[in-house]
Amino acid sequence: MTVKHLLNEQLLMGYAAGILPEAFDLVVASHLSLSDESRAMLGSYEAVGGVVMEETESVEMTADALGSVMARIKSGKAIPQKPTLRPTKPGVLPEPLQDYVGGDVEKIKWRSLGGGVKQAILPTSGKAQARLLLIPAGAAVPDHGHRGTELTLVLQGSFSDKVDHFTRGDIEIANEDLNHQPIAGPEEDCICLAATDAPLRFNSLIPRLLQPIFRI
Amino acid sequence: MDPTEQKRSQGDDWNAHILRVRNHRDEAAFAALFGHFAPRIKGFLIKSGASGTMAEECAQETMITLWHKAHLFDPSRASAATWIFTIARNKKIDAFRRAARPEPEDLPWGPEPAPEAADALALSQETEHLASALNALPEKQREIVKRAYYGDLTHSELAEETGLPLGTIKSRIRLALDRLRQTLNEPVK
């Protein structure tokens, strides 16, 4: 499988740096699970991160830091891990997405939007929102514009808009300049993962991430 | 000694330190890694908006994770600094969010049991070139790249081309791609 539409530099760098909103991280991680080329590119952006960290002015650790770390290692107590559910079954949904859904497509809790179109909003922190969309084969999503950035990742089937034709693994990056009417391909129902940061602009999200947010 | 020169000779050395932690649970090697990386992680996290206390805790947890996950370190995939950066980054995000950050699926890296030393060496050299290239960027561009990693950019700055010479690590990308293509399973259609 060759994925044709890849992430741009800003998103790859943002993911490598860890500064994207959670909803965008989810789209990027899902895309990376489907595109070896994007994943290889990510490696280079992470290398840049390593270089930047190396060159950042260091700040002295507390006096007993090493001793305390060695003591924690020897006590054998693991660092508490955040909960993740990682099913092993490959499916339509890439693993990072299955973690959010609690399984593959059959576990998605769809809500009808009319005209056969369905959506399921996924729980993410921050103001960017992630949702799964199901567009019946051959059907159209109402024409819409974007107030912020919208990322759309195809997971099943395909869709076309005036930009191009998008298939599994492809990602479309749309901003406020783009008004489009995606139409699902005739071969099967199209399932996409979409994330939007509207009505916020991209830049206003980043400072929010620097606040300790536990749940919104 | 010129600081760049010193760093250059140290890249391989830090890899070797992690391998000693991995293979022998070598505490002296760990202490050396701690002395070098922990204050840099702390500095990086403070630049990224963390408080001193939070940065200290994340830096300590990053080093504990390094000890426990040293078996996952593969010098043909990432340099010591790159690998430690990704651990620190994830600690930072975990501290800010209720759940772990979404990570891509683990993909197998090929049938060969051990990475070839040549790959590790090539990667290490390319990472060094990347460091020099980053330092050779005009001041403004370099600042933009750094601030991107601190999460401190405006919308227009983020949209600007960074001019990063990622071509310098082209062969690393090719290597990674070759490996992935050998082993990547066709996803379910």
Side-chain angles (χ1 to χ4, degrees):
Chain A
M1 178 190 67
T2 307
V3 173
K4 190 172 53 164
H5 297 277
L6 304 174
L7 289 161
N8 63 21
E9 179 181 39
Q10 286 75 33
L11 285 163
L12 273 172
M13 185 184 271
Y15 183 81
I19 59 169
L20 298 180
E22 186 179 353
F24 282 22
D25 268 356
L26 178 57
V27 178
V28 173
S30 301
H31 169 76
L32 290 169
S33 301
L34 300 174
S35 167
D36 47 4
E37 193 170 342
S38 284
R39 184 190 291 255
M41 283 302 295
L42 175 72
S44 26
Y45 285 102
E46 289 179 336
V48 178
V51 172
V52 170
M53 191 183 76
E54 273 276 351
E55 309 210 332
T56 300
E57 212 176 310
S58 55
V59 173
E60 218 178 319
M61 296 292 282
T62 52
D64 59 341
L66 176 59
S68 133
V69 159
M70 283 318 299
R72 284 168 75 182
I73 287 172
K74 288 184 174 162
S75 78
K77 259 185 246 154
I79 301 168
Q81 299 283 320
K82 295 289 173 110
T84 51
L85 172 92
R86 185 131 287 196
T88 49
K89 198 179 65 158
V92 171
L93 306 183
E95 280 182 17
L97 197 48
Q98 293 202 22
D99 287 346
Y100 280 75
V101 169
D104 202 16
V105 273
E106 70 279 357
K107 293 279 186 189
I108 303 173
K109 296 185 180 68
W110 294 112
R111 299 187 67 153
S112 176
L113 290 180
V117 178
K118 296 179 196 167
Q119 78 166 4
I121 291 176
L122 302 173
T124 52
S125 58
K127 289 203 175 171
Q129 194 186 56
R131 63 192 198 283
L132 286 158
L133 272 175
L134 184 147
I135 314 162
V141 171
D143 198 6
H144 64 288
H146 306 97
R147 277 183 291 175
T149 301
E150 182 180 62
L151 308 181
T152 309
L153 171 70
V154 181
L155 300 164
Q156 174 186 296
S158 66
F159 75 81
S160 302
D161 62 15
K162 67 182 177 190
V163 177
D164 209 339
H165 182 67
F166 296 84
T167 59
R168 179 172 165 88
D170 280 338
I171 198 157
E172 181 173 50
I173 303 166
N175 57 29
E176 52 239 57
D177 304 331
L178 180 73
N179 276 284
H180 65 159
Q181 183 166 30
I183 298 171
E187 68 281 7
E188 63 183 321
D189 293 352
C190 177
I191 297 178
C192 297
L193 172 65
T196 39
D197 64 355
L200 288 181
R201 287 183 177 264
F202 203 78
N203 59 331
S204 51
L205 284 162
I206 291 168
R208 283 200 66 89
L209 287 179
L210 305 178
Q211 314 288 335
I213 301 171
F214 294 101
R215 183 180 278 272
I216 290 184
Chain B
M1 202 191 315
D2 171 46
T4 330
E5 201 55 47
Q6 195 180 355
K7 213 170 294 151
R8 197 162 293 169
S9 55
Q10 277 180 354
D12 282 336
D13 205 31
W14 293 130
N15 288 355
H17 277 70
I18 300 182
L19 296 177
R20 284 211 293 279
V21 171
R22 183 183 81 181
N23 299 335
H24 310 294
R25 309 270 86 179
D26 181 333
E27 291 186 23
F30 182 77
L33 286 161
F34 191 96
H36 180 80
F37 285 104
R40 285 174 168 78
I41 300 167
K42 187 174 177 182
F44 178 82
L45 293 171
I46 288 175
K47 281 270 190 190
S48 307
S51 68
T53 318
M54 187 186 189
E56 170 88 21
E57 177 58 22
C58 280
Q60 290 196 18
E61 287 195 0
T62 300
M63 295 308 296
I64 295 173
T65 303
L66 181 153
W67 177 279
H68 288 307
K69 296 204 171 162
H71 63 282
L72 297 176
F73 176 65
D74 174 352
S76 72
R77 285 174 66 175
S79 75
T82 304
W83 188 60
I84 293 170
F85 163 76
T86 60
I87 298 173
R89 173 200 66 198
N90 290 0
K91 292 285 167 204
K92 176 184 84 170
I93 297 173
D94 283 359
F96 288 142
R97 285 190 197 154
R98 70 185 155 72
R101 142 193 167 108
E103 291 282 335
E105 284 172 30
D106 281 331
L107 296 182
W109 280 76
E112 70 274 39
E116 287 179 31
D119 288 0
L121 183 64
L123 171 66
S124 155
Q125 285 169 348
E126 285 164 3
T127 310
E128 281 155 18
H129 288 154
L130 182 67
S132 350
L134 185 63
N135 283 316
L137 284 179
E139 177 67 23
K140 183 169 171 266
Q141 303 293 97
R142 191 165 67 238
E143 270 312 297
I144 287 181
V145 172
K146 286 189 172 182
R147 287 175 52 208
Y149 282 85
Y150 302 146
D152 177 31
L153 276 190
T154 64
H155 185 55
S156 56
E157 285 169 328
L158 194 63
E160 212 166 307
E161 287 299 316
T162 57
L164 258 183
L166 288 173
T168 53
I169 39 181
K170 202 178 283 167
S171 74
R172 162 159 207 264
I173 293 169
R174 182 181 49 70
L175 274 173
L177 272 175
D178 288 350
R179 286 229 180 124
L180 283 164
R181 290 206 169 117
Q182 281 166 21
T183 54
L184 192 64
N185 293 324
E186 278 288 309
V188 177
K189 295 274 176 181

